[in-house]
Amino acid sequence: MNRSLRSEIFNRLRAANPEPKTELNYSSPFELLVAVVLSAQATDKSVNKAMALLFPVANRPETIAALGVEGLSAYIKTIGLFNTKARNVIRLCELLIRDHQSEVPDDRAALEALPGVGRKTANVVLNTAFGHATMAVDTHIYRVSNRTGIAPGKNVLEVEHRLMRLVPKEFLFDAHHWLILHGRYTCTARKPKCGSCLIEDLCEFREKTVD
């Protein structure tokens, strides 16, 4: 796929959704960080439902840490892997209090040093909370990048690096939101909705489906 085709793909995605946003509900970098940590192997809908109960009670490192693992688990028990996630979030809060004056760091290395925070989570926070042009490659972006030919790669890190290099700069800040939403609702895993896809004629996927 050449540069002009990629530009047209992102032009169309931007025209359809000029200001794409995460589907996680949050009102601060800390709330976003907690929500993204909890969203691993879970749906945004399930996380939002749990956070609607948690954040009115505790939405700062100090108040969540005060709940303890058992107290936090009661709020997030509907989310997959909630016991492990509760331990990670409590420890994360303790480290933010101890090392970062209770603030979420605007730094990749510092974010990835926190429990439960990997490269994808750090990229989401850096992009959405702090305005960095990053590429948070999840299963949706990995699938869309390979299936369409936008930036094929053998693993998520390779896809991330290729997207950062190949996506035209004017689209880079919002690109991961467009790709996630496209993979979540149109270019779905089992049966992509090619017949209603706004980039079908530009996509290199050979086994296109009919809605």
Side-chain angles (χ1 to χ4, degrees):
M1 182 175 290
N2 59 38
R3 179 180 177 83
S4 64
L5 282 177
R6 289 190 187 91
S7 292
E8 179 59 22
I9 285 172
F10 286 104
N11 263 318
R12 293 185 191 181
L13 294 173
R14 180 172 63 184
N17 186 2
E19 297 183 357
K21 306 294 182 185
T22 178
E23 293 187 318
L24 291 169
N25 297 330
Y26 71 98
S27 60
S28 70
F30 175 71
E31 288 188 1
L32 175 65
L33 175 61
V34 171
V36 178
V37 169
L38 294 177
S39 71
Q41 300 181 51
T43 65
D44 288 359
K45 184 177 180 180
S46 70
V47 173
N48 287 337
K49 186 175 181 180
M51 296 305 92
L53 300 175
L54 173 65
F55 287 153
V57 175
N59 70 341
R60 291 288 298 154
E62 294 85 355
T63 51
I64 289 184
L67 293 174
V69 173
E70 185 175 346
L72 177 58
S73 294
Y75 285 98
I76 67 170
K77 61 186 178 182
T78 56
I79 300 174
L81 306 175
F82 72 91
N83 282 319
T84 298
K85 291 176 180 179
R87 289 192 293 270
N88 283 337
V89 170
I90 293 299
R91 183 58 180 154
L92 176 154
C93 290
E94 292 170 346
L95 293 179
L96 288 179
I97 295 167
R98 188 190 74 184
D99 299 334
H100 301 287
Q101 296 75 52
S102 298
E103 298 299 324
V104 176
D106 181 2
D107 177 80
R108 176 185 300 282
L111 284 168
E112 291 188 21
L114 298 171
V117 179
R119 186 175 182 88
K120 185 192 78 173
T121 297
N123 278 334
V124 172
V125 173
L126 289 170
N127 176 273
T128 304
F130 297 117
H132 295 275
T134 59
M135 196 65 62
V137 178
D138 66 352
T139 56
H140 296 302
I141 292 183
Y142 181 77
R143 178 175 66 254
V144 171
S145 296
N146 277 285
R147 184 182 276 168
T148 62
I150 291 173
K154 296 178 181 179
N155 54 60
V156 293
L157 186 59
E158 185 175 340
V159 168
E160 177 188 335
H161 289 162
R162 296 201 72 190
L163 285 168
M164 292 298 294
R165 179 169 56 87
L166 295 173
V167 174
K169 288 185 178 180
E170 65 176 298
F171 305 111
L172 196 55
F173 178 74
D174 288 320
H176 91 271
H177 288 300
W178 287 318
L179 293 173
I180 286 172
L181 293 171
H182 191 67
R184 185 172 289 168
Y185 297 111
T186 302
C187 196
T188 51
R190 294 186 180 180
K191 187 178 180 182
K193 301 172 184 177
C194 299
S196 57
C197 174
L198 54 82
I199 62 168
E200 179 186 9
D201 58 315
L202 307 174
C203 169
E204 297 180 352
F205 185 49
R206 294 181 179 180
E207 301 174 14
K208 291 178 179 172
T209 63
V210 178
D211 292 351

